[in-house]
Amino acid sequence: MRGDGGGSSFRGRGPSPPPVRPDDVEAAEAAAVRILRSAAQSAAALQRGLIRHGFDDATSGRAVAAMAGRGYVNDAALAESVTRRRIRNGYGTARIAADLRGRGVDDTTITETIDAVDAAGEEERALAVAVPLWHTRGDEDARHRRGRVGAALQRRGYSFAVISSAIRRLEEETAPTSPGGGGPLVQ
């Protein structure tokens, strides 16, 4: 609780006071720098943040353009960073695209970034996520196992075709092999 009778705030941070003038570009730029200190933002997300702080559209747009001109806002670099991190964490392209869209990155940048960063690795990534899930409950019947693993992959943003391929490969791996037949596909 603050001593001035105001409400408490998380970590001592309360809501930012509204700007003196909604058309003050210098104040908008200062607010943009404060917003960008906490996390990288897309141009659209930064503009929304400035509008929430009370700046008008035109002033927010000028401040965002100034930040982009100084190299503080770069939607393509943000998209690449987020895409690489999501790929390392085993997410599919649909989930990555949704995350980037939620951050205000445009569809063209999303498509170009995902295509450049993840040329053909989605099926292997899905399989890497599916293997431990597949082997966790060996006593399940095949239908339940397929459903559980498929649902987990779907939540991570993999397409039906990729999910089907991963499950098919896992089923082939765990199927009994005939004498002289090949070994497992996945380890």
Side-chain angles (χ1 to χ4, degrees):
M1 191 68 102
R2 296 186 328 210
D4 63 358
S8 65
S9 62
F10 183 72
R11 289 187 171 173
R13 292 183 297 193
S16 299
V20 178
R21 289 187 2 241
D23 62 344
D24 184 349
V25 176
E26 280 185 34
E29 287 180 21
V33 168
R34 284 191 306 275
I35 291 169
L36 291 168
R37 261 191 224 138
S38 64
Q41 304 281 321
S42 67
L46 181 58
Q47 182 148 6
R48 284 192 305 263
L50 291 170
I51 290 169
R52 273 194 307 272
H53 278 77
F55 294 100
D56 62 33
D57 252 354
T59 303
S60 298
R62 285 194 291 278
V64 169
M67 296 299 110
R70 293 178 194 148
Y72 298 150
V73 175
N74 182 332
D75 286 6
L78 173 69
E80 182 177 344
S81 173
V82 169
T83 300
R84 287 188 187 284
R85 185 173 60 250
R86 292 292 191 206
I87 284 172
R88 274 192 313 273
N89 291 328
Y91 288 95
T93 56
R95 176 85 179 263
I96 295 167
D99 185 14
L100 292 172
R101 237 177 254 108
R103 293 171 184 256
V105 177
D106 66 272
D107 286 336
T108 303
T109 302
I110 291 169
T111 302
E112 289 171 358
T113 302
I114 291 174
D115 288 349
V117 172
D118 187 40
E122 187 156 20
E123 283 194 32
E124 293 306 314
R125 202 167 56 254
L127 191 59
V129 170
V131 166
L133 297 171
W134 187 261
H135 295 291
T136 55
R137 291 163 70 189
D139 61 337
E140 267 182 327
D141 69 58
R143 187 174 60 85
H144 283 105
R145 180 183 281 182
R146 282 191 303 269
R148 182 175 50 78
V149 171
L153 292 174
Q154 186 177 20
R155 284 189 300 274
R156 284 189 165 259
Y158 292 101
S159 69
F160 179 76
V162 169
I163 293 169
S164 297
S165 174
I167 290 174
R168 189 175 325 103
R169 286 178 64 183
L170 287 167
E171 287 177 328
E172 290 169 1
E173 174 202 62
T174 57
T177 58
S178 60
L185 294 172
V186 181
Q187 294 184 15

